[in-house]
Amino acid sequence: MSTTSSDPLAALGALPGVTDAVDSVRKAVDRVYGHRVMRRRSNEVTAEAALRGARGSAALSGADWNLEEVRRRTDFSGDDEARTIGAALRLTAEAGQLLSIWRQSPLRVLARLHLVAAGGATPDDAVGRPRLAGEPVEEPLIETPLPDAREVSGRLEGLSELIIAGSSAPALVMASVVHGELLALRPFGSHNGLVARTAERIVLIGSGLDPKSICPAEVGHAEQGRAAYVAAFEGYLSGSPEGMASWIAHCGRSVELGVRESTAVCEALQRGAA
């Protein structure tokens, strides 16, 4: 990710295919926000979107449970899959509490997200801070070479400056870059994928695109499948205009699939079936 101009994301918004993805996402989000159920039962849609988003994010991190199992369980302290589901649920619940801090101190938010995700499963001195030189990273799914600790520190600072400065780029572009950069860096010893997808959610909510958090991109990322997720992420890693556009379009499609999921929830609530 380059930060050589005052607004390095602006050019990404003009890439071929990105403008169409941004427009398509905006229209989809506007449609679900205009659903009649949203006028009186938006809190229920938000709660259901959070549950489904957490399930989707956990699936990408290797815990692909069906929705009813996630809904039924109350103890997530068992095996690795259960702990992954629990971490995803905690992160989704935490995301909305951190919006006011994000634009002022994104690194503080990322530290908090890792603390919440770890939930006591990581040694105390490794929780909530970027990894040090030589420290291992346990991250399902993403197996690309790790940047060293010095590069991680510098790029995290650059990402933080970008978020604080703001951008004229569409929310989808910012959310996609935050998500991709955190996956690329894997700054923590664990739970990086979960944290990256939660940060994407925070950007989408805080930008005003999805203020009620009813468009869970995590659902769409999971629905498109792990192979498609990794392939699109490799486009981000390439840094090429085509690769970046492919990643942003993938994230946009994920938001649209999240919208479709919440639209189905709205329809079920309207019928009295949920």
Side-chain angles (χ1 to χ4, degrees), residues 15 37 39 59 91 93 102 119 122 146 149 173 211 213 220 230 233 238 246 252:
L15 288 174
V37 165
R39 292 198 295 269
L91 284 170
W102 176 254
T122 308
L146 283 167
V173 173
S213 191
V230 171
F233 171 61
S238 76
S246 177

Side-chain angles (χ1 to χ4, degrees), residues 58-130:
L60 288 172
S61 288
D64 193 2
W65 291 14
N66 67 61
L67 183 64
E68 292 313 311
E69 178 66 8
V70 177
R71 196 190 307 279
R72 181 186 67 82
R73 289 281 287 269
T74 56
D75 181 5
F76 298 98
S77 61
D79 59 18
D80 287 345
E81 287 195 5
R83 286 192 289 272
T84 297
I85 294 283
L89 289 167
R90 291 192 300 273
L91 284 170
T92 302
E94 189 78 7
Q97 311 302 314
L98 299 171
L99 295 174
S100 62
I101 306 171
W102 176 254
R103 282 294 300 272
Q104 285 75 42
S105 184
L107 297 185
R108 180 179 163 197
V109 169
L110 293 175
R112 173 64 184 170
L113 291 177
H114 186 242
L115 180 67
V116 168
T122 308
D124 288 348
D125 64 350
V127 172
R129 62 154 175 80

Side-chain angles (χ1 to χ4, degrees), residues 38 41-51 201 212-214:
M38 288 296 295
R41 303 182 71 177
S42 64
N43 288 344
E44 293 171 72
V45 181
T46 295
E48 190 65 20
L51 183 71
R201 172 185 283 265
K212 293 183 182 293
S213 191
I214 61 167

